[in-house]
């Protein structure tokens, strides 16, 4: 016990020396910079800082490191004292105790932010004193100090506190040294992780300096952790260095990583496949990446196949051809129609105008550069939403060359079609390799994973055989009959008949391998093998052998695939969409409900009315979790319908008031927001007859948030009435508001009336001032003597905002006469 008492006495002495003698044990917190206060040692504040910063007591040094930010603030008024403190910090960074160094490094981001705010006074303090400490700690022998310095470096980069010069001259050289083959394994793994995270924050020139080292690390045969980090960040390197460097230097490394012996590395490659595809040319994407992706889908590991199927839709979307794209996405994710080029305004009609043939969220930037002519004025309409694609490039010269070639003859067109078929088909060597793999897997058919691989490979083999057979038939059909005249009428009838046929199951296609014209057209957009694999995601067997949520991933990426194929190939996805719309998992239907408005914009009004409206009606009767997806974009969907189809939903708006859970007030809040938007889609009579009653009901909701947005809805209805010249309906609505709210026995109703009058003043041209003064103002003034203060406050706000200076003077006299405060 004596030793225990002595321990507490020593701790008390430490606190006394530290300047904490004035603080009791009951104090919630202590001021860390208390040691700077004047004491019995007759030292200056800087002298006391030196004393405790280099004290033999580790606790003292930790406290000084923890309070460095406050210390700098204390001395920020004097430049010489401030520089002295920074030099003290530099010497403290060489402390032999790891906990002190870690504590010091934790304060570096906060100190850097303080120096950034005080940059006019201390412009070079951070670069001169703190950056070398951060870089030096990256090679610290203590693991905790290194981790802390790595986290601090990332924070400094995210906040933009490190200049480009320091990154290139101080940080990058250290990372290159740490990733040398002779470097320690732990240092190398950590340095690779930092380097990959820094890629997105560096310039293209700096990344190109790190590119050669990154290629060497991708082939590190000794440390799989290094290869795994490289695979996970492979897409970022490709997107920054561009197409040329990707295809010349990185593509071979990517193929090696996709065939790595560890499934975690192959899974990482599958996750970043879309970004890599965005950085390649269409030819490389079709001839090299497509077979490589098929190998990942048929991988031995279930986790790799799961990641591949999740990325399948996004990878397919990179095949989109911007020359037929009519839509693009803003940075907020809104799908909009691309403005026409100046040549279109001059009367040059485009060859094909489809407002939904490729998804700008998924379209690669290289396709952008090759597919559509854009001037500088049109480029401004595109965004830098790099997750999907950057702006289009100007290729007007290439288009002029195409125009100069003139129209092709029938023979030339047939040669081009045959050549396209040859380019899109698989080589015979690919079929042979697939067959060999199938033969090797036959003895292991008892394994469910092997069965899934055999199923996918068999589909790939059939697709390859179908393509080769369609090639031969296409060549034979392109020849004319013996009399030398092509049978145009019979050929046209055959195309029409085939276009009306529904896709047959794989067994039937094997018996009759001749593909329809629509299938050939879809195959020209994306490889048939990828499309077959995507359509197989709705197979129940895939949910058992690959991923239980594979249908949800299929539904999530379906709009992008539909936009890539184009509305002319919607028949390829129609059955899949209907299957997903009736899936037993509500998460799958919810995903479709949230994106049905985008799909409607892609398909156009005719296909929407025929194929999407029945599914939309089914979603309206689904669970609340599904209905909220439809409700959130109700306006976006209804505005795409014809007026007669749109009016049918007026009778169903009242059904949104009924929910499975009455506490789900956000559902009613969303309904009020959508009603404000869809009001412009209907006439004033329809608004008065159908939306008015819903608005009045929402104004009496139990939740205040719903009531506040509903008051705005009421004002919008009034504005609609007076804007359309229906003053009689507007007057009837005003009288209903007065009876229902102004004379309401509950103060909440009277407050609602005052708030409606206040909101009316915020909306311009809601109703003429004379109408407001004649019909609403007397009732509003009657509430000036309301016994509830909340009502009187809103009355005062409404009167102040709705009248001019002269009228305000009249109101002030009226209020003083009534004795109202």
């Amino acid at each position: 016990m004596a030793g225990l008492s002595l321990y507490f006495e020593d701790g008390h002495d430490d606190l006394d020396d530290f300047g904490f003698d004035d603080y009791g044990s009951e104090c919630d917190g202590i001021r860390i910079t208390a040691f700077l206060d004047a004491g019995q040692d007759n030292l200056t504040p800087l002298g006391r800082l030196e004393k405790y910063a280099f004290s033999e007591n580790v606790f003292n040094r930790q406290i000084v490191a923890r309070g460095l930010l406050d210390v700098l603030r204390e001395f920020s008024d004097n430049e010489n004292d401030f520089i002295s403190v920074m030099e003290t910090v530099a010497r403290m960074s060489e402390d032999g105790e790891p906990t002190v160094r870690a504590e010091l490094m934790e304060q570096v981001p906060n100190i850097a932010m303080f120096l950034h705010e005080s940059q006019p006074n201390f412009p070079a303090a951070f670069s001169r004193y703190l950056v070398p400490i951060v870089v030096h700690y990256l090679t610290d022998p203590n693991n905790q100090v290194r981790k802390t310095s790595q986290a601090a470096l990332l924070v400094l980069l995210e906040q933009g506190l490190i200049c480009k010069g320091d990154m290139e001259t101080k940080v990058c050289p250290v990372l290159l040294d740490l990733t040398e083959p002779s470097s320690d394994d732990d240092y190398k793994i950590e340095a690779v992780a930092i380097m990959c995270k820094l890629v997105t924050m560096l310039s293209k020139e700096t990344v190109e300096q790190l590119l050669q080292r990154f290629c060497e690390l991708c082939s590190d045969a000794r440390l799989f952790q290094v290869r795994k980090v490289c695979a996970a960040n492979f897409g970022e390197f490709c997107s920054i260095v561009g197409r040329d460097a990707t295809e010349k230097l990185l593509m071979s490394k990517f193929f090696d990583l996709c065939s790595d012996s560890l499934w975690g590395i192959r899974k990482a490659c599958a996750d970043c496949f879309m970004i890599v595809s965005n950085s390649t040319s269409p030819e490389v994407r079709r001839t090299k990446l497509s077979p490589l992706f098929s190998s990942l889908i048929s991988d031995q590991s279930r986790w790799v196949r799961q990641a591949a199927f999740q990325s399948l839709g996004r990878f397919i979307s990179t095949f989109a051809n911007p020359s037929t794209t009519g839509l693009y996405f803003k940075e907020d994710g809104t799908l909009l129609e691309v403005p026409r080029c100046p040549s279109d305004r001059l009367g040059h009609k485009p060859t094909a105008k489809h407002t939904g043939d490729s998804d700008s969220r998924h379209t690669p930037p290289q396709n952008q550069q090759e597919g559509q002519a854009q001037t500088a004025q049109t480029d401004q309409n595109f965004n830098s939403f790099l997750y999907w694609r950057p702006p289009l490039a100007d290729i007007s010269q290439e288009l002029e060359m195409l125009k100069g070639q003139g129209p092709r003859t029938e023979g030339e067109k047939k040669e081009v079609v045959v050549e396209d078929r040859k380019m899109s088909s698989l080589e015979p060597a690919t079929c042979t390799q697939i067959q060999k793999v199938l033969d090797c897997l036959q003895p292991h058919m008892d394994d469910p994973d092997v069965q899934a691989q055999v199923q996918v490979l068999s589909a790939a083999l059939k697709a390859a055989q179908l393509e080769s057979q369609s090639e031969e038939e296409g060549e034979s059909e392109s020849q004319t009959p013996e009399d030398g005249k092509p049978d145009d009428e019979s050929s046209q009838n055959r195309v029409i008949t085939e276009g009306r046929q529904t896709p047959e199951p794989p067994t039937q296609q094997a018996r009759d391998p001749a593909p329809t014209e629509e299938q050939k057209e879809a195959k020209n957009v994306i490889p048939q093998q990828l499309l077959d694999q995507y359509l197989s995601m709705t197979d129940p067997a895939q949910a058992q052998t690959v991923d239980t949520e594979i249908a949800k991933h299929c539904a999530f990426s379906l709009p992008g695939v539909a936009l890539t194929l184009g509305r002319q190939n919607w028949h390829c996805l129609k059955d899949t969409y209907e299957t997903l719309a009736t899936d037993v998992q509500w998460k799958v239907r919810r995903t479709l409900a949230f994106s049905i408005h985008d799909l409607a914009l892609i398909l156009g009004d005719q296909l929407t009315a025929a194929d999407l409206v029945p599914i939309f009606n089914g979603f309206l009767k689904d669970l609340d979790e599904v209905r909220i997806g439809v409700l959130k974009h109700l306006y976006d969907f209804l505005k795409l319908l014809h007026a007669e189809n749109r009016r049918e939903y007026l009778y169903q708006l009242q059904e949104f008031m009924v929910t499975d859970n009455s506490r789900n007030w956000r559902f009613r809040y969303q309904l009020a927001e959508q009603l404000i938007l869809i009001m412009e889609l209907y006439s004033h009579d329809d608004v008065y007859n159908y939306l008015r009653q819903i608005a009045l009901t929402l104004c009496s909701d139990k939740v205040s948030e719903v009531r506040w947005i509903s008051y705005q809805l009421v004002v919008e209805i009034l504005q609609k009435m007076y804007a359309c010249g229906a003053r009689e309906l507007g007057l009837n609505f005003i009288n209903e508001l007065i009876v229902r709210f102004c004379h309401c026995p509950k103060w909440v109703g009277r407050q609602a009336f005052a708030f409606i009058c206040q909101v009316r003043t915020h909306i311009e041209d809601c109703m003429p001032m004379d109408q407001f003064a004649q019909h609403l103002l007397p009732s509003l003034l009657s509430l000036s003597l309301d016994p509830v203060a909340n009502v009187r406050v809103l009355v005062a706000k409404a009167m102040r905002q709705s009248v001019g200076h002269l009228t305000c003077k009249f109101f002030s006299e009226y209020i003083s006469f009534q004795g109202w405060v």
Side-chain angles (χ1 to χ4, degrees), residues 125-152:
F126 175 72
S127 177
R128 180 179 179 182
Y129 295 102
L130 294 185
V131 173
I133 298 176
V134 176
V135 174
H136 176 67
Y137 279 3
L138 292 176
T139 60
D140 195 275
N142 185 268
N143 182 62
Q144 180 184 1
V145 178
R146 291 200 310 273
K147 296 294 184 183
T148 308
S149 64
Q150 295 165 14

Side-chain angles (χ1 to χ4, degrees), residues 261-300:
S261 58
L262 294 179
W263 67 266
I265 298 177
R266 303 195 301 273
K267 179 180 180 297
C269 292
D271 291 333
C272 67
F273 212 94
M274 185 203 73
I275 305 178
V276 176
S277 178
N278 282 341
S279 304
T280 60
S281 62
E283 181 181 359
V284 173
R285 188 179 301 121
R286 179 178 288 272
T287 58
K288 295 183 179 181
L289 291 184
S290 179
L292 180 62
F293 193 85
S294 299
S295 66
L296 293 177
I297 283 186
S298 59
D299 194 88
Q300 297 179 359

Side-chain angles (χ1 to χ4, degrees), residues 1-14:
M1 295 297 293
L4 183 62
S5 175
L6 179 63
Y7 173 79
F8 280 109
E9 289 178 1
D10 290 344
H12 183 68
D13 291 341
D14 290 339

Side-chain angles (χ1 to χ4, degrees), residues 11 20 36 91 194 196 292 295 311 327 378 409 448 481 599 609 633 642 659 704 718-719:
F20 296 145
L36 298 178
R91 284 187 292 154
I194 297 175
C196 292
L292 180 62
S295 66
S311 302
L327 303 172
T378 309
T409 63
L599 191 60
H633 302 284
H642 293 295
T659 57
S704 61
L718 278 176
Q719 183 180 12

Side-chain angles (χ1 to χ4, degrees), residues 16-19 33-55 60 75 81:
D16 289 343
D17 293 340
F18 214 11
T33 57
F35 63 87
L36 298 178
D37 298 337
Q40 300 177 358
D41 49 13
N42 296 325
L43 296 176
T44 62
L46 283 177
R48 280 190 292 274
L49 175 63
E50 291 277 343
K51 173 184 176 181
Y52 293 110
F54 303 102
S55 172
N60 290 347
F75 293 99
D81 292 345

Side-chain angles (χ1 to χ4, degrees), residues 495-706:
V495 171
I496 296 176
T497 304
E498 290 176 350
R500 295 176 179 174
Q501 293 178 353
T502 57
E504 298 176 347
T507 55
Q508 182 65 24
Q509 290 180 0
R511 302 190 198 103
D512 187 11
T516 63
E517 292 296 329
E518 289 101 343
Q519 290 174 339
K520 294 178 183 177
E521 187 175 0
K523 186 177 65 176
N524 290 333
V525 178
I526 62 175
Q528 184 66 36
Q529 185 178 1
L530 293 180
L531 180 59
D532 294 339
Q533 291 165 347
Y534 179 80
L535 298 180
S536 68
M537 293 178 70
T538 57
D539 189 353
Q542 298 283 20
Q544 299 177 0
T545 58
V546 179
D547 186 5
T548 56
E549 294 189 352
I550 189 173
K552 180 182 176 182
H553 298 299
C554 179
F556 179 80
S557 58
L558 194 141
V561 177
L563 198 50
T564 302
L565 289 175
R567 65 179 65 174
Q568 69 274 13
N569 294 312
W570 167 243
H571 63 279
C572 299
L573 298 175
K574 179 181 177 181
D575 294 340
T576 300
Y577 190 79
E578 293 176 352
T579 302
L580 294 172
T582 57
D583 195 276
V584 295
Q585 302 182 61
W586 64 267
K587 293 182 179 180
V588 177
R589 304 194 303 273
R590 173 186 170 92
T591 303
L592 294 181
F594 270 95
S595 62
I596 193 171
H597 67 288
D598 282 334
L599 191 60
L601 184 58
I602 293 169
L603 299 182
D605 53 357
Q606 295 182 357
L607 291 176
T608 297
D611 299 333
L612 296 188
V613 167
I615 295 177
F616 182 84
N617 295 336
F619 287 158
L620 293 178
K621 303 175 183 178
D622 211 314
L623 301 176
D624 286 350
E625 290 79 3
V626 180
R627 296 170 66 202
I628 187 62
V630 173
L631 178 60
K632 194 167 185 177
H633 302 284
L634 184 62
Y635 166 77
D636 298 326
F637 185 82
L638 291 181
K639 70 179 182 180
L640 299 175
L641 302 179
H642 293 295
E644 58 274 10
N645 296 333
R646 186 188 305 145
R647 199 172 185 278
E648 297 177 359
Y649 291 96
L650 280 172
Y651 310 97
Q652 305 182 35
L653 293 176
Q654 186 69 32
E655 298 178 2
F656 284 109
M657 297 294 296
V658 181
T659 57
D660 299 336
N661 185 3
S662 59
R663 296 181 179 180
N664 188 8
W665 62 269
R666 291 180 178 84
F667 199 92
R668 301 188 296 276
Y669 183 91
Q670 193 68 54
L671 174 61
E673 282 190 335
Q674 289 298 311
L675 291 180
I676 294 175
L677 296 176
I678 69 175
M679 200 176 303
E680 67 178 48
L681 303 177
Y682 298 100
S683 63
H684 62 276
D685 291 328
D686 291 336
V687 170
Y688 183 83
N689 295 329
Y690 297 98
L691 303 187
R692 173 183 54 86
Q693 190 59 41
I694 299 177
L696 293 176
T697 305
L698 292 174
C699 286
S700 303
D701 197 88
K702 296 180 180 180
V703 181
S704 61
E705 290 292 334
V706 180

Side-chain angles (χ1 to χ4, degrees), residues 292-585:
L292 180 62
F293 193 85
S294 299
S295 66
L296 293 177
I297 283 186
S298 59
D299 194 88
Q300 297 179 359
S301 173
R302 177 173 181 173
W303 306 111
V304 178
R305 298 198 305 272
Q306 185 179 103
F309 273 109
Q310 291 179 11
S311 302
L312 176 57
R314 290 177 288 174
F315 175 54
I316 289 177
S317 65
T318 62
F319 288 85
N321 185 3
S323 61
T324 57
T325 300
L327 303 172
Y328 75 99
F329 275 85
K330 295 175 61 178
E331 293 187 3
D332 59 357
T334 306
L335 185 64
L336 298 176
E337 186 175 357
V338 176
R340 290 189 177 185
C341 298
S343 59
D344 296 337
R345 299 189 184 101
L346 294 176
H348 300 285
K349 296 182 180 180
T351 55
K353 181 67 171 68
H354 299 292
T355 60
D357 294 345
S358 60
D359 193 343
S360 57
R361 292 178 298 180
H362 304 273
T363 307
Q366 284 69 26
N367 284 356
Q368 299 274 356
Q369 298 172 0
E370 298 175 356
Q372 183 176 3
Q374 290 289 338
T375 61
Q377 179 181 359
T378 309
D379 285 339
Q380 297 176 358
N381 295 318
F382 291 91
N383 60 80
S384 58
F385 194 25
L386 294 181
Y387 183 75
W388 300 115
R389 66 166 167 185
L392 301 180
D394 184 7
I395 56 169
S396 55
Q397 297 180 356
E398 287 81 351
L399 291 180
E400 292 295 334
M401 293 175 61
L402 292 177
K403 292 180 180 178
Q405 294 178 0
R408 291 190 179 98
T409 63
E410 292 297 329
E412 291 176 345
K413 291 181 180 179
K414 294 175 181 178
E415 291 178 2
V416 172
V417 172
V418 173
E419 184 65 24
D420 290 341
R421 290 171 179 168
K422 291 181 179 180
M423 292 180 62
S424 62
S425 61
L426 294 175
E427 297 178 357
T430 305
C431 302
T432 306
Q433 294 174 358
I434 295 176
Q435 187 61 47
K436 289 182 180 180
V437 175
L438 286 174
D439 296 339
C440 296
L441 294 177
Q442 289 300 326
H444 308 284
M445 289 298 294
D446 297 337
D447 190 351
D449 292 340
V450 175
Q451 295 177 4
Q453 298 177 43
V454 171
Q455 182 180 3
V456 174
L457 290 175
S458 300
L461 182 60
K462 290 180 180 179
Q465 294 173 351
L466 289 176
E467 290 178 357
S468 60
Q469 294 177 3
S470 61
E471 253 184 56
E472 299 175 357
E473 286 201 6
E475 294 177 358
S476 61
E477 290 178 358
S478 63
Q479 299 177 359
T480 58
E482 296 180 358
D483 56 357
K485 297 181 180 180
D487 191 358
D488 295 337
E489 184 177 357
S490 61
S491 176
Q492 183 178 3
N493 294 335
R494 182 173 65 255
V495 171
I496 296 176
T497 304
E498 290 176 350
R500 295 176 179 174
Q501 293 178 353
T502 57
E504 298 176 347
T507 55
Q508 182 65 24
Q509 290 180 0
R511 302 190 198 103
D512 187 11
T516 63
E517 292 296 329
E518 289 101 343
Q519 290 174 339
K520 294 178 183 177
E521 187 175 0
K523 186 177 65 176
N524 290 333
V525 178
I526 62 175
Q528 184 66 36
Q529 185 178 1
L530 293 180
L531 180 59
D532 294 339
Q533 291 165 347
Y534 179 80
L535 298 180
S536 68
M537 293 178 70
T538 57
D539 189 353
Q542 298 283 20
Q544 299 177 0
T545 58
V546 179
D547 186 5
T548 56
E549 294 189 352
I550 189 173
K552 180 182 176 182
H553 298 299
C554 179
F556 179 80
S557 58
L558 194 141
V561 177
L563 198 50
T564 302
L565 289 175
R567 65 179 65 174
Q568 69 274 13
N569 294 312
W570 167 243
H571 63 279
C572 299
L573 298 175
K574 179 181 177 181
D575 294 340
T576 300
Y577 190 79
E578 293 176 352
T579 302
L580 294 172
T582 57
D583 195 276
V584 295
Q585 302 182 61

